[in-house]
Amino acid sequence: MPQRVALELAVQDPAGAVIAADVGARRVELCSALGATGGITPSAALVEAVVEAAAVVPSSDAAPILEVHVLVRPRPGGFVYSPAEIDLMLREVTLAGDAGVDGVVLGALTRSGTVDEARMRDLIAAADDAEVTFHRALDVVADPLAALDTLAELGVARVLTSGGAARAGAGLDRLAALVERSAELGIEIMAGGGVTPADIPALLGTGVDAVHLSAKRSVADAGGPGGGGDAGYEVTDPELARAAAVALGLPAAT
């Protein structure tokens, strides 16, 4: 029987992790400022709180204990990092490991648009036993198939990619090509980037190992001139999360 495609939700708080577990997600990617920046590293206290929330969720044969993977990205913008930024990332990876996470999500590139192998080796070594996912920095490399080869050699568990498009639903051809190459390499391909439940059937058609989405909605809560104006904040929407799980054919934990 073919292995079921995994669901990963990008969440920003413990409540989001509980929702992910409720709908049968395999794991969460924990980040902060998702809508405003594409995601940056969450605080150490938030990491601890989400690990604790995931640990008390009951597991079943259909829905194992939720994995917590933490985004390690020190700032918005590109993925060419200074020595000081890499040092900060190494510290964040170590703190995440100390908090008991299952994995870290990160990426570093050279100015020529290739995987920064030296810095990735250091970050992977700092992750120790935690899985490493290479994030959507893959979508801006000069040669994504060559990058996939490099990442597999480095020991990266999976890559998160939209297939180089603004939305994964528009990157199907490249996703299929990455899946084909990954079969020779033993690295997982996870489709993500603007994914909605309606996109999932087409993504499944490419053969990806997992689908990643935020399933978020905005809550109106004006902070005034000193609190970000009228931007409000984001939460995980249980209905969107469940719709994604249903599209993937996942049995819910509750």
Side-chain angles (χ1 to χ4, degrees):
M1 184 175 181
Q3 184 174 353
R4 184 175 283 119
V5 173
L7 173 63
E8 177 179 289
L9 292 185
V11 304
Q12 302 181 77
D13 52 33
V18 172
I19 290 169
D22 285 347
V23 303
R26 176 82 54 83
R27 57 186 170 262
V28 295
E29 179 193 339
L30 176 64
C31 57
S32 291
L34 182 58
T37 68
I40 56 175
T41 309
S43 72
L46 179 54
V47 174
E48 291 178 350
V50 170
V51 168
E52 290 172 3
V56 299
V57 172
S59 63
S60 67
D61 291 340
I65 293 175
L66 186 73
E67 294 181 12
V68 178
H69 294 235
V70 172
L71 177 63
V72 177
R73 184 182 179 214
R75 54 160 172 78
F79 308 104
V80 178
Y81 295 115
S82 69
E85 288 170 330
I86 290 292
D87 180 66
L88 178 59
M89 292 172 72
L90 290 168
R91 293 171 185 242
E92 296 284 14
V93 169
T94 299
L95 286 171
D98 290 345
V101 303
D102 299 284
V104 290
V105 183
L106 47 80
L109 302 180
T110 66
R111 293 194 180 279
S112 59
T114 62
V115 174
D116 191 331
E117 294 185 50
R119 287 174 169 174
M120 283 299 299
R121 287 185 194 281
D122 290 342
L123 290 163
I124 291 167
D128 197 14
D129 293 333
E131 283 190 340
V132 175
T133 298
F134 192 86
H135 55 43
R136 290 186 60 201
L138 187 75
D139 291 324
V140 296
V141 300
D143 185 340
L145 292 178
L148 194 66
D149 292 346
T150 299
L151 294 170
E153 291 171 4
L154 290 170
V156 169
R158 71 185 56 81
V159 297
L160 171 63
T161 174
S162 64
R167 297 176 57 256
L172 300 178
D173 289 344
R174 183 177 287 182
L175 282 169
L178 289 165
V179 167
E180 184 177 0
R181 178 68 66 88
S182 73
E184 307 166 12
L185 301 173
I187 186 170
E188 295 180 14
I189 306 299
M190 179 163 57
V195 173
T196 68
D199 296 319
I200 289 176
L203 295 173
L204 293 179
T206 68
V208 295
D209 300 286
V211 172
H212 166 108
L213 71 160
S214 62
K216 69 183 188 302
R217 63 179 174 85
S218 295
V219 176
D221 188 13
D230 60 357
Y233 60 94
E234 299 163 340
V235 297
T236 304
D237 186 319
E239 296 306 317
L240 279 174
R242 194 169 299 282
V246 168
L248 283 166
L250 300 182
T254 61

